[in-house]
Amino acid sequence: MTVLLDVRGVTKRFRGLTAVDNVSLTVTEGEIFAIIGPNGAGKTTLFNMIAGATRPDDGTISFAGAPTLGRTPDALCRAGLARTFQIVRPFPELTVLENASIGAMLRSEDVSDAKRNANSVLERLGLADKRAMKAKSLTLPDRKRLEVARALATRPKLLLLDEVMAGLRPTEVDRIVAVIKAIRAEGVTIVLIEHVMRAVMALAERVHVLHHGATIAEGTPAEIVRHPKVLESYLGTEAVH
Amino acid sequence: MTALRDLIAATPRRALAMLIAFIAVLAIAPAFLDRYLLSVMILVFWFAYVGQAWNIMMGFCGQLSLGHALYVGLGGYVSALLFVKFGISPALGLIPAMLIAMAFGAAIGWLSFRFGIEGVYFALLTIAFAEVTRIGFDNWAFTGGAAGLFIPVRAGAAGEWWNLRGGPLLFYYVCLALMLAAFLICARLRFSKLGYAWLAVREDPEAARALGVDVFRAKMAAILISSAMTAVGGVVYAFYQNNLFPSQTFDISRSIEMILAPIIGGLGTLFGPIVGAFILTPLGQALIALIEHVVGKGVPGANLVFYGLCLMVIIWFAPNGVWPWMKKSLGIREERE
Amino acid sequence: MLFSLYANVLVQGILTGLVYGLMALGLSVIFGVVRVVNFAHGEFAVVAMYAAFVLFAALGLDPFVSLAPIALAFFAIGYALQRTLINPFIARPEHEQFILLVGVAIILVNGTLMVFGPDARHANLPYSFDSWLIGPLIVDKVRVYAAIAAVLVSAALLAFFRFTPTGTAIRACADNLIGAAVVGLDVKKLYALTFGLGLACVGAAGAIMVVLTDATPMIAPAFTLLAFTIVIIGGMGSMTGALVGGLLIGVVEALASILIAPSMKSMVSFALLVAVLAFRPQGLMGRRA
C-alpha cells in the first residue's frame, strides 16, 4: 500500500491565529479519505498547503514521494495533484467545454484531442448537454460539477475535493457520490473536505477530524461518528454530557 | 497550414463568403480611392493591425498595457536608425526591431509577472516604462534626441519597396497585408493550447494554476508576441511618416489611441480590432475634415474628444464592444463547441 | 558653496513635494475609500490649473485666493461624477472602471487642448520673482506660499477625516464596507462626498501649481503618473502616506535634477516606483499588502 500523500506536523499561522496546528495524516493510494470539522477548523487552509497555494510555517508535505515545498500549484498539478475550490471558480466567459478542455490540455498537446477527453469527462459528470453554455450562466450545482470535471480532466493521481456537496439536494449528492466512486475505481485517490455526512459515510474509508486547526480524531466513519471529542466539537460540550 | 484549413472548415459558409468578398473589395479599392482616402485606409489598416497585437495581451490574456507605444517607437527607431546610419533595409532591420521590442517586453513582463504586479499596477508600470524610454530617447543624441530622427526621401528611391520607399499605394498594400496577417496569427493563436491558457489566465489565474497552467509562461508569451508584432507596426509607421520624435512616438496619447479600436470593436474577439478601426478611424478623419471645413482651420484634440466619448459610450452600454453586437444583428451564431 | 546648493535644492524639493502631496492626497482618498482608480487625476489637475489661470487673466484673481472657489467647484463636480458616472461602475470589472476613467481623461485633456491650444499658460504674479534670503538659502516666495497653502488644505482634510462624524463614517466605509452598510451608513452618499473631497484636493493643488509651473494639456498624463507614483510609494489607502510620498518624490526629483540632469528626474521616481511595486507593494505606509 503506497503512501501517496504524507502530511507531517504541518502548521500555519495567520498573524496570531493558528489556522492549522501540527496536523499529520497519510493517504494511501486508491483510498477515499475525508477531512471533516466545524467551520473554521482549518480544512481549506490545509488543502491550500497541500496544493501548493500556501506555504506551511512548519512541517512537511510529500506527494508521490517528493516534497511539495517550493513547488507551484501548476507544477503539482502537472505531477498529478488536482484540486477544486470551496467557492467555485469557473472561467465565467468560457463555455463548459472550454473550461473542461483547459484541464484536459494539461495532458494533450493537441487541442481537439483535449476537447474529446473533456467531452467524455463532461458526460460522466452529466454536463454534456450544457457544453456550449457559458460557465457564468450555470446553476450552482452545475458549477460544482464543472469544478470536479475540470479537475478530473487533468487526469490526476490525487484529487482534492473541497466541499463539493455543499448546497446540493440529496439526489444530487447521491449522483456525485456515484461519480466519485467511479473515479476511484479508475485508480484516482481522493481526499475530500465535507460537511455533508451522508456523503462522508457513503464514501470515506478513513476520516480525519479537525477542530480549531488541530487533529482531534482519526478513524473509520463509524468510529469517529461515535467519538466523544468529535461530537463535542460539532454539538458543544453540553450535548455530549 | 492544417490549422488554417481547420479554421476555414469551422467557419460557416456565409461568413466565409462575406470575408472573402470583403478582402477582395479591399484589394481592388485603390483603383477607386484618391490619395486622401488611401491615407485614411492606411491608418485604418495600421490601427487594426496594432489593435490586434494589443488585443493579444489584453483581450486574450487579460493584461492591461497602457504603454504599447513603447514597442511602436522601438520598432520605428531601430529600423529607421539601421536604415539611416547603416543603409540596412527595413526588410532586414525588422528583425532587430522586433528583438529589441521583445527584450523590453521581456523586461517589463519578468519584472511584473515575477513579482505579482497585476491589474492597475501593471498598467501603471507599462506607462512608466514608455515614459522613461521617451525621456531616454529625448536625451540621446544618437537618435536625434528631441529634435527627431528623419528618414531622407530620395526621389529616385521610389519603387524600392523592400526599403518601404514608395507612395500611399505601397503602404496601403503593406498595411492591408499586415492587418490580414495579424488576423490569421491571432486566429491561429486563439484556438491553440497557448490561446486557451491565455483565456484561463484572463478569467482566473488561480484557477488556471490549479489546472496546471503555467501562468508566468503564458503571460510572458503574450507580452513577447504582442511586443514583437507591435514593433513591426512601428517599422511601417516610421517609414511611412519618415520622421520620429520621442515626444510623439512614445507618448501616452499614442498608447491610448492604439487601444481604442480593439476596445470599441470588441475586446478579446478576432474581428473586434478590425471593426473598431474601420469605425473609428474614418469617423475621426471625417470629423477632422468637417471641423477644418467649418472652422477654417484644424482644431487639435477634437477627434480625440470624439474618441473619448465613443469609448465611454461603448464601455457603458456595450462593454463587450461593437462586434459582438454586430454578430447578433448579422445572425452569425456563436458556434463554440 | 556646495552645501548651499544642496540646501537650496532640498528646500525647493520639500516645498514642491508638499504641493505634489496635496495632489496625491486626493487620489489616495478616492482610491482608499471608493476603490476606484482615478486615471483622470492629472487631467483634473490641469483643468484646475487652467481655471485658476483664466480667473487670474480675466479677473486678476490671485490663484491663492481662487483656490477656494475652485476647490469648491471641483468638490461639486466630483460629487456629481461619482453619483452619476462612477457609481454604476463600482461593481463592474476593474478594467472597465479604468477604461471609463481613461475616457474621461481623454475628453478632459483634449477638451482643454481644443479650448486653450497647446501653448503654455502661467500665472505671473507680482511677487512671482521675489525671494527671501535666509542664510545660504534663496527661497522663492511663491514656493513658500504654495507649500503653506498645500499644507493647510491637507491638514484641513486630515482633520475632517479624523475628527468629524462624517469623516469617521467615510473611514468606516474604507475599513469595512459591509459593516458600514449594516450600521446604516449611506454608502452611496459617502462615496460621492469622498470623490468630491478627492477632486477638491486636486482642484486646490492645480490652482496652486499654476503659480509654480506652466499649464499645458500635455503635462496631464505626467501628473497622473506622478500622483500614482506618490500614492503607490507612500502606500495606497494611507493619507499620510500620500503626503510623505509627495515629500519624498519632491526631494528625490530635486536632487536627481542637479545630480543627473533636469530631464532625467522622473526616471529616478520611476525607478523608485518599480522598486516599491516589486519589493514592497503596500508602499511605505500602506496598510493592505
Side-chain angles (χ1 to χ4, degrees):
Chain A
M1 288 266 86
T2 29
V3 168
L4 191 58
L5 179 68
D6 189 10
V7 177
R8 294 203 197 171
V10 161
T11 303
K12 181 70 184 173
R13 291 174 216 98
F14 291 112
R15 290 209 205 184
L17 170 72
T18 307
V20 175
D21 193 358
N22 198 18
V23 170
S24 300
L25 53 89
T26 51
V27 180
T28 50
E29 217 174 309
E31 77 171 319
I32 299 183
F33 189 95
I35 300 176
I36 69 172
N39 276 323
K43 312 186 292 291
T44 299
T45 312
L46 185 61
F47 256 23
N48 282 336
M49 288 191 282
I50 295 172
T54 320
R55 281 176 83 107
D57 291 323
D58 259 321
T60 59
I61 302 176
S62 284
F63 170 63
T68 64
L69 191 64
R71 287 156 80 187
T72 57
D74 47 286
L76 286 170
C77 187
R78 283 192 286 276
L81 195 164
R83 55 95 49 104
T84 64
F85 290 92
Q86 182 179 21
I87 302 179
V88 289
R89 305 175 75 143
F91 299 127
E93 295 293 329
L94 305 185
T95 63
V96 167
L97 179 60
E98 285 171 338
N99 266 270
S101 301
I102 288 172
M105 279 180 211
L106 181 61
R107 307 291 177 200
S108 315
E109 273 313 305
D110 181 44
V111 170
S112 26
D113 199 35
K115 287 198 168 173
R116 263 192 301 274
N117 293 335
N119 264 316
S120 56
V121 173
L122 289 176
E123 290 216 22
R124 298 181 63 180
L125 269 294
L127 284 171
D129 51 339
K130 304 202 171 86
R131 72 166 75 94
M133 282 176 68
K134 284 200 180 176
K136 65 181 178 185
S137 43
L138 289 179
T139 59
L140 182 65
D142 282 341
R143 287 184 193 206
K144 290 199 163 244
R145 284 192 280 170
L146 178 59
E147 191 88 353
V148 177
R150 232 173 35 170
L152 195 58
T154 65
R155 305 238 191 99
K157 291 189 208 147
L158 176 66
L159 184 57
L160 303 176
L161 298 172
D162 197 341
E163 293 194 37
V164 294
M165 313 286 182
L168 299 184
R169 293 196 306 275
T171 38
E172 287 162 349
V173 170
D174 289 340
R175 264 215 298 235
I176 303 228
V177 164
V179 173
I180 293 177
K181 283 189 175 160
I183 295 172
R184 191 272 290 268
E186 287 166 4
V188 180
T189 310
I190 298 182
V191 180
L192 36 93
I193 291 178
E194 227 9 281
H195 274 304
V196 176
M197 291 314 283
R198 184 194 185 91
V200 176
M201 300 306 281
L203 286 170
E205 279 135 22
R206 278 191 305 137
V207 182
H208 192 100
V209 190
L210 291 182
H211 187 45
H212 290 323
T215 306
I216 58 172
E218 185 175 302
T220 65
E223 284 167 5
I224 59 108
V225 138
R226 282 193 290 275
H227 198 292
K229 277 210 158 139
V230 175
L231 293 171
E232 195 180 303
S233 75
Y234 270 101
L235 303 171
T237 356
E238 307 282 310
V240 184
H241 300 109
Chain B
M1 279 329 273
T2 35
L4 189 59
R5 257 192 287 127
D6 287 338
L7 216 61
I8 295 176
T11 320
R13 311 226 71 178
R14 221 178 97 202
L16 204 58
M18 275 168 35
L19 217 65
I20 294 178
F22 181 61
I23 296 174
V25 166
L26 290 178
I28 57 172
F32 309 99
L33 298 175
D34 66 13
R35 198 185 172 90
Y36 169 70
L37 288 175
L38 270 181
S39 70
V40 171
M41 289 315 292
I42 291 171
L43 281 180
V44 170
F45 297 153
W46 191 86
F47 276 109
Y49 173 74
V50 295
Q52 289 277 26
W54 182 82
N55 193 34
I56 288 177
M57 261 191 85
M58 179 61 191
F60 293 167
C61 194
Q63 306 303 303
L64 178 58
S65 166
L66 288 177
H68 245 58
L70 171 66
Y71 310 119
V72 173
L74 286 172
Y77 265 100
V78 170
S79 58
L81 283 166
L82 287 172
F83 183 67
V84 168
K85 310 261 180 179
F86 304 109
I88 297 177
S89 157
L92 291 171
L94 196 94
I95 311 285
M98 284 170 71
L99 288 173
I100 291 185
M102 283 168 79
F104 274 70
I108 296 173
W110 186 84
L111 204 59
S112 312
F113 309 145
R114 177 75 183 70
F115 290 102
I117 301 175
E118 294 187 310
V120 157
Y121 298 97
F122 175 71
L124 286 169
L125 203 67
T126 60
I127 295 175
F129 264 83
E131 270 294 285
V132 165
T133 311
R134 182 183 66 77
I135 294 172
F137 273 75
D138 243 0
N139 287 294
W140 196 9
F142 178 67
T143 64
L149 181 70
F150 293 86
I151 302 178
V153 181
R154 288 182 297 117
E160 284 176 16
W161 55 268
W162 57 94
N163 281 334
L164 288 178
R165 306 284 79 203
L169 200 62
L170 170 67
F171 284 96
Y172 179 93
Y173 284 112
V174 166
C175 290
L176 175 60
L178 280 182
M179 183 181 87
L180 294 174
F183 176 78
L184 289 173
I185 292 173
C186 287
R188 178 73 188 88
L189 285 171
R190 166 70 178 77
F191 295 106
S192 70
K193 230 179 113 162
L194 181 60
Y196 280 107
W198 281 340
L199 294 180
V201 169
R202 178 191 76 193
E203 296 289 291
D204 192 334
E206 282 313 307
R209 263 192 205 101
L211 292 173
V213 174
D214 190 334
V215 172
F216 177 78
R217 257 187 76 217
K219 287 184 179 182
M220 284 300 279
I223 199 168
L224 287 172
I225 295 175
S226 183
S227 57
M229 278 178 73
T230 309
V232 174
V235 174
V236 173
Y237 167 83
F239 283 80
Y240 180 57
Q241 302 275 49
N242 291 310
N243 58 59
L244 293 166
F245 302 97
S247 58
Q248 278 181 12
T249 317
F250 293 104
D251 194 49
I252 190 172
S253 54
R254 279 298 150 86
S255 293
I256 292 188
E257 267 181 336
M258 284 168 65
I259 74 174
L260 294 173
I263 292 177
I264 289 174
L267 210 52
T269 65
L270 289 172
F271 285 99
I274 297 177
V275 168
F278 268 83
I279 293 175
L280 286 180
T281 308
L283 279 180
Q285 296 296 311
L287 188 67
I288 292 176
L290 185 68
I291 290 179
E292 277 213 35
H293 188 75
V294 167
V295 176
K297 61 178 174 78
V299 177
N303 66 325
L304 278 169
V305 170
F306 168 69
Y307 289 155
L309 283 167
C310 286
L311 192 66
M312 288 179 68
V313 165
I314 288 289
I315 205 78
W316 186 285
F317 294 111
N320 288 325
V322 170
W323 172 241
W325 173 85
M326 263 178 80
K327 266 203 290 204
K328 274 195 283 193
S329 319
L330 285 173
I332 300 173
R333 247 184 43 237
E334 191 85 56
E335 287 219 10
R336 283 155 67 184
E337 269 286 299
Chain C
M1 239 336 275
L2 208 61
F3 167 74
S4 72
L5 173 67
Y6 280 112
N8 273 304
V9 163
L10 200 70
V11 166
Q12 210 181 68
I14 292 174
L15 294 176
T16 317
L18 286 169
V19 181
Y20 286 166
L22 176 62
M23 181 175 67
L25 186 62
L27 188 66
S28 183
V29 161
I30 292 174
F31 184 77
V33 176
V34 188
R35 295 269 187 276
V36 164
V37 177
N38 184 14
F39 191 74
H41 206 72
E43 282 73 9
F44 278 111
V46 168
V47 170
M49 284 176 86
Y50 274 106
F53 169 76
V54 164
L55 288 173
F56 171 72
L59 301 172
L61 219 54
D62 187 324
F64 289 117
V65 170
S66 63
L67 178 155
I70 289 177
L72 221 66
F74 270 65
F75 173 81
I77 293 171
Y79 192 96
L81 203 69
Q82 166 65 26
R83 285 228 79 149
T84 55
L85 216 59
I86 317 257
N87 216 33
F89 270 76
I90 293 196
R92 298 240 220 153
E94 192 180 69
H95 78 266
E96 284 184 24
Q97 286 178 17
F98 206 57
I99 288 170
L100 177 75
L101 283 157
V102 168
V104 172
I106 295 174
I107 294 175
L108 285 176
V109 105
N110 288 287
T112 47
L113 185 62
M114 278 177 73
V115 173
F116 293 99
D119 300 325
R121 314 294 174 119
H122 185 76
N124 270 319
L125 299 168
Y127 50 90
S128 271
F129 296 104
D130 294 349
S131 41
W132 290 305
L133 271 75
I134 309 172
L137 301 172
I138 307 170
V139 184
D140 294 330
K141 277 191 183 173
V142 277
R143 288 196 190 277
V144 174
Y145 292 159
I148 293 176
V151 167
L152 286 176
V153 177
S154 306
L157 195 73
L158 287 171
F160 170 79
F161 278 112
R162 193 80 198 294
F163 300 118
T164 64
T166 322
T168 315
I170 293 177
R171 280 189 297 136
C173 284
D175 265 340
N176 187 340
L177 186 60
I178 297 180
V182 162
V183 165
L185 297 179
D186 185 346
V187 174
K188 276 199 183 147
K189 206 175 91 179
L190 290 173
Y191 272 6
L193 251 163
T194 310
F195 210 92
L197 287 170
L199 280 196
C201 282
V202 176
I208 295 172
M209 283 194 291
V210 82
V211 167
L212 301 175
T213 183
D214 293 338
T216 74
M218 277 71 86
I219 55 172
F223 275 153
T224 303
L225 190 53
L226 182 69
F228 275 105
T229 305
I230 293 174
V231 168
I232 290 173
I233 291 177
M236 282 280 207
S238 162
M239 288 193 262
T240 34
L243 296 171
V244 167
L247 267 172
L248 183 64
I249 294 292
V251 169
V252 160
E253 290 207 338
L255 288 173
S257 150
I258 56 160
L259 285 173
I260 311 173
S263 49
M264 306 282 260
K265 57 183 181 164
S266 34
M267 283 181 133
V268 182
S269 312
F270 295 148
L272 265 174
L273 174 69
V274 170
V276 167
L277 280 175
F279 301 114
R280 199 186 155 87
Q282 71 268 36
L284 292 172
M285 304 179 71
R287 32 192 185 89
R288 294 193 323 139

